Amino acid sequence: EVQLVESGGGLVQPGGSLRLSCAASGFTFSTYDMHWVRQVTGKGLEWVSAIDTAGDPYYPGSVKGRFTISRENAKNSLYLQMNSLRAGDTAVYYCTREFGGYGFDHWGQGTLVTVSS
Amino acid sequence: SYELTQPPSVSVSPGQTASITCSGDKLGDKYACWFQQKPGQSPVLVIYQDSKRPSGIPERFSGSNSGNTATLTISGTQTMDEADYYCQAWDSRSVVFGGGTKLTVL
């Protein structure tokens, strides 16, 4: 069974940093592109970052230069290093698996990040 | 940047057909997929590659994509289908989501 389990969320002050982790199991992690998607409470889904099987990262303009996605295939783990956090980054962050460029077929339960003083 | 537009809400009576649209420039030239999200839960993929259903998704869910519009159709809508629905497509290497549509079954 495919499982994605996020961790590392919490309360952080504006300007601070946080590192999210996603532990993957039930599939060959190294052969899938992986993504982070976030959702502000009561709002829609927003793509945050992606990393392909070669380790190349991709970001939207809203987080480029502040967030860094990485993966450690030996540990079946995905990470998101978030720096210079702002109130607008407050959201639930989901780890998700992309399959074949067609969609995200598995999602974690999400981890809540709250940026507040 | 590329944008996908969905109606904020759609209402349907139980047993009837619900259609949720997703509009974007030349969206038909891209693959679209759809996610269902119920309160307090993570999104679930219900349609990928415009019209394919993942295993476990009921046959009443179908999709199409042509021109500038992708459509999610739910035939014989059930009360359990009440949820938020999001379309999604790729623009180059970026992922784009629609704003979401709240489907009310009443």
Side-chain angles (χ1 to χ4, degrees):
Chain A
E1 178 193 4
V2 172
Q3 284 199 322
L4 298 170
V5 180
E6 303 94 337
S7 61
L11 175 64
V12 61
Q13 293 189 339
S17 298
L18 211 56
R19 189 195 196 205
L20 305 183
S21 299
C22 172
S25 61
F27 66 102
T28 306
F29 178 73
S30 62
T31 64
Y32 286 85
D33 294 354
M34 299 294 296
H35 296 247
W36 289 97
V37 173
R38 69 185 179 185
Q39 184 173 36
V40 174
T41 301
K43 301 298 184 182
L45 302 171
E46 180 187 11
W47 175 65
V48 173
S49 61
I51 188 166
D52 62 19
T53 55
D56 293 327
Y58 302 87
Y59 308 96
S62 57
V63 307
K64 197 168 188 177
R66 300 190 300 123
F67 290 10
T68 302
I69 189 173
S70 61
R71 64 191 302 162
E72 193 167 356
N73 291 335
K75 293 187 175 181
N76 292 328
S77 293
L78 177 71
Y79 306 102
L80 184 67
Q81 177 67 43
M82 303 185 294
N83 298 331
S84 302
L85 283 162
R86 310 163 178 167
D89 296 317
T90 295
V92 172
Y93 285 72
Y94 295 101
C95 164
T96 182
R97 183 181 89 165
E98 176 191 329
F99 83 105
Y102 300 137
F104 303 124
D105 62 344
H106 289 278
W107 297 65
Q109 83 288 350
T111 187
L112 176 62
V113 172
T114 303
V115 183
S116 175
S117 55
Chain B
S1 62
Y2 195 77
E3 293 184 357
L4 294 174
T5 301
Q6 298 180 234
S9 63
V10 168
S11 296
V12 64
S13 300
Q16 298 304 302
T17 297
S19 295
I20 300 173
T21 58
C22 174
S23 299
D25 184 49
K26 298 181 181 178
L27 180 55
D29 292 344
K30 311 176 189 294
Y31 279 131
C33 58
W34 291 89
F35 300 92
Q36 175 195 69
Q37 187 180 34
K38 296 182 179 179
Q41 298 183 17
S42 301
V44 172
L45 181 68
V46 294
I47 293 289
Y48 69 97
Q49 208 174 341
D50 295 337
S51 59
K52 297 183 178 179
R53 279 179 294 106
S55 61
I57 300 302
E59 291 184 8
R60 64 179 180 274
F61 287 87
S62 64
S64 63
N65 186 16
S66 179
N68 295 321
T69 303
T71 303
L72 172 69
T73 301
I74 309 172
S75 304
T77 307
Q78 301 184 8
T79 54
M80 69 172 65
D81 300 328
E82 186 163 287
D84 293 327
Y85 291 86
Y86 296 91
C87 61
Q88 179 256 312
W90 271 263
D91 179 43
S92 185
R93 286 294 303 188
S94 292
V95 174
V96 182
F97 288 99
T101 299
K102 181 176 182 59
L103 177 67
T104 301
V105 183
L106 43 67

